[in-house]
């Protein structure tokens, strides 16, 4: 028996019968035969493919909420991803489900995010004249754009978990549903933390009706939500929160949209960021020859609009600023570091 076969056997011995077992995966878009010397299950291989991808490395230079904040302690899209992964793995382990599948989905769920956070998403929506959804772009990254256009060839369960971490599509696995819920738990709470650090919010500002249920500080809120998710999901055999905790979380999200996500301090530079991406989009649509060499072949089968969109969506914040400066700012006016 190979190492990976033994690991698959052990899954059946120790995991909840409701878990997504590695040897029951619906497979990959392009079938692959496991190698005898491999020591990983299919979901473990997916984790490694994501973590070693270029799009994953770029997450460390992409905005979460605050555009170019002063200080080293604000979240980036990378740190958000890691926080989601830790919350999701905690819930998954407590429920006896497949931690490897959960980790793969969580690590890949935001690979398609634009520069400048949701401001970039809004900008590309305006440019395209139709919704740009980062969850759909994340799936496109792992299916098509990574690995020089060959994609990462991930398993069905990971791919649909990435697609379903937000939006209308609900993942078919419990592990994918855990990531979807963990994403909400993570971003609402760490965005509060960043907003307090930025001086636009205090713990006292959060309505008492919410803090009475979830807790007064970051640690207590996370603990309440995670423990409630575990307890309620065990009883329901589905990933869910109890009614009062779920209501408090939704009320907290509404509060954050009102006080932080639409706050002029947090979003004061977004208009500039959106305009920057719009002008880059228009420039490359008018000058497709200026696209990098590795994007040129894509023009022939995906068309100009899709190719330009993929290029801009993959940019980091700094790279977008640098390209804008290179194209639109006269050389003598550029700031030299």
């Amino acid at each position: 028996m190979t190492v990976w076969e033994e690991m698959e056997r052990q899954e059946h011995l120790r995991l909840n019968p409701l878990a997504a077992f590695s040897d029951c995966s619906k497979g990959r878009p392009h079938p692959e035969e496991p190698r005898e010397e491999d020591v990983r299950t299919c979901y473990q291989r997916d984790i490694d493919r994501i973590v070693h991808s270029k799009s994953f490395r770029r997450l460390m230079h992409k905005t979460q909420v605050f555009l170019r904040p002063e200080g080293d302690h604000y979240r980036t899209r990378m740190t958000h991803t890691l926080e989601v992964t830790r919350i999701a793995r905690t819930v998954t382990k407590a429920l006896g489900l497949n931690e490897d599948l959960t980790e793969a989905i969580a690590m890949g769920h935001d690979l398609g995010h634009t520069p400048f956070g949701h401001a970039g998403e809004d900008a590309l929506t305006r440019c395209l004249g139709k919704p740009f959804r980062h969850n759909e772009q994340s799936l496109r990254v792992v299916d098509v754009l990574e690995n020089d256009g060959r994609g990462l060839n991930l398993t069905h369960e990971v791919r649909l978990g990435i697609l379903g971490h937000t939006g209308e599509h609900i993942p078919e696995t419990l592990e994918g549903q855990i990531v979807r819920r963990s994403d909400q738990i993570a971003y609402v709470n760490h965005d509060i933390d960043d907003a307090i650090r930025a001086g636009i919010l205090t713990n006292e500002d959060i309505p008492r009706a919410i803090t009475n249920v979830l807790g007064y500080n970051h640690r207590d809120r996370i603990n309440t939500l995670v423990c409630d998710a575990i307890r309620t999901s065990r009883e329901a055999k589905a990933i869910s929160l109890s009614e009062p905790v779920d209501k408090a979380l939704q009320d907290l999200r509404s509060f954050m949209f009102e006080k932080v996500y639409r706050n002029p301090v947090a979003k004061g530079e977004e208009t500039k960021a959106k305009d920057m991406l719009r002008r880059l989009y228009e420039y490359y649509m008018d000058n497709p020859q200026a696209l990098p060499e590795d994007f040129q072949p894509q023009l022939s089968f995906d068309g100009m609009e899709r190719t330009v969109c993929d290029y801009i969506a993959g940019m980091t914040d700094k790279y977008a600023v640098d390209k804008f400066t290179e194209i639109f700012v006269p050389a003598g006016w550029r700031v030299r570091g």
Side-chain angles (χ1 to χ4, degrees):
M1 182 179 290
T2 64
V3 174
W4 57 266
E5 286 174 326
E6 173 60 20
M7 295 177 75
E8 290 177 345
R9 187 184 75 84
Q10 288 292 331
E11 283 184 358
H12 285 277
L13 294 177
R14 63 182 173 81
L15 295 185
N16 188 318
L18 297 176
F21 296 100
S22 299
D23 60 355
C24 296
S25 171
K26 293 182 180 179
R28 305 178 185 277
H30 306 289
E32 297 177 11
E33 289 298 323
R35 295 174 297 180
E36 186 173 341
E37 69 273 17
D38 207 336
V39 296
R40 300 165 297 171
T41 66
C42 59
Y43 300 139
Q44 290 172 338
R45 291 200 298 275
D46 284 357
I47 295 169
D48 291 340
R49 292 179 185 188
I50 291 168
V51 169
H52 290 285
S53 68
K54 290 183 291 187
S55 52
F56 184 80
R57 293 193 292 275
R58 289 196 296 266
L59 293 177
M60 67 186 295
H61 298 298
K62 291 195 176 191
T63 290
Q64 175 62 24
V65 172
F66 294 89
L67 299 181
R68 300 200 68 176
E70 294 183 7
D72 296 331
H73 299 145
Y74 290 85
R75 270 72 171 190
T76 64
R77 194 60 58 180
M78 173 70 82
T79 55
H80 162 73
T81 293
L82 297 178
E83 291 186 36
V84 172
T85 301
R86 286 308 308 150
I87 291 171
R89 285 199 62 143
T90 297
V91 176
T92 301
K93 186 169 187 175
L95 295 177
L97 301 173
N98 195 322
E99 291 181 67
D100 293 327
L101 173 56
T102 294
E103 182 173 352
I105 296 169
M107 286 294 195
H109 81 281
D110 268 356
L111 294 180
H113 244 298
T114 60
F116 310 121
H118 290 286
E121 203 168 5
D122 292 343
L124 286 180
T125 291
R126 290 178 176 273
C127 290
L128 295 169
K130 58 185 178 182
F132 175 94
R133 299 183 176 94
H134 75 269
N135 58 318
E136 295 174 357
Q137 187 69 12
S138 294
L139 182 61
R140 179 169 173 78
V141 167
V142 300
D143 275 358
V144 178
L145 301 179
E146 269 292 341
N147 201 19
D148 298 323
R150 297 187 296 273
L152 300 179
N153 199 32
L154 304 181
T155 55
H156 172 85
E157 295 76 15
V158 173
R159 294 173 56 252
L160 293 194
I162 288 172
L163 176 65
H165 82 269
T166 189
E168 297 179 357
H169 177 83
I170 306 298
E172 58 192 44
T173 65
L174 294 178
E175 291 84 353
Q177 294 170 32
I178 288 172
V179 174
R180 184 182 177 97
R181 179 63 76 177
S182 298
D183 186 37
Q184 296 175 354
I185 293 172
Y187 77 70
V188 168
N189 283 286
H190 65 49
D191 291 350
I192 291 173
D193 200 30
D194 283 354
I196 291 173
R197 182 170 287 109
I200 64 174
L201 193 68
T202 68
N203 271 318
E204 288 75 18
D205 294 327
I206 302 173
R208 184 60 61 86
I210 295 173
T211 58
N212 284 345
V213 176
L214 299 183
Y216 179 76
N217 57 42
H218 179 82
R219 175 183 176 181
D220 289 345
R221 284 189 298 268
I222 294 287
N223 188 65
T224 297
L225 288 160
V226 169
C227 290
D228 186 83
I230 293 168
R231 182 171 53 253
T232 307
S233 300
R234 272 180 176 167
E235 295 171 358
K237 296 185 178 180
I239 307 307
S240 55
L241 293 169
S242 66
E243 186 174 338
V245 170
D246 190 35
K247 181 180 185 305
L249 177 60
Q250 299 314 314
D251 289 345
L252 183 57
R253 289 182 70 248
S254 298
F255 169 80
M256 289 295 288
F257 271 98
E258 179 185 351
K259 299 296 184 181
V260 177
Y261 301 141
R262 300 190 182 104
N263 187 291
V265 176
K267 300 301 175 183
E269 299 292 294
E270 277 199 356
T271 300
K272 297 176 186 177
K274 291 177 182 180
D275 186 60
M276 187 185 306
L277 294 187
R278 176 186 61 79
R279 293 184 65 185
L280 284 172
Y281 180 87
E282 292 172 352
Y283 174 81
Y284 286 112
M285 287 293 289
D286 292 338
N287 301 275
Q289 74 282 357
L291 288 166
E293 186 176 338
D294 52 339
F295 277 85
Q296 294 297 326
Q298 187 181 337
L299 289 167
S300 61
F301 52 85
D302 274 340
M304 203 148 55
E305 183 179 86
R306 181 73 256 179
T307 304
V308 171
C309 176
D310 287 340
Y311 178 47
I312 292 176
M315 291 179 174
T316 64
D317 296 11
K318 183 179 184 302
Y319 186 79
V321 171
D322 288 347
K323 295 307 292 185
F324 181 88
T325 301
E326 175 187 314
I327 295 167
F328 295 108
V329 178
W333 295 357
R334 297 174 193 168
V335 177
R336 289 178 170 83

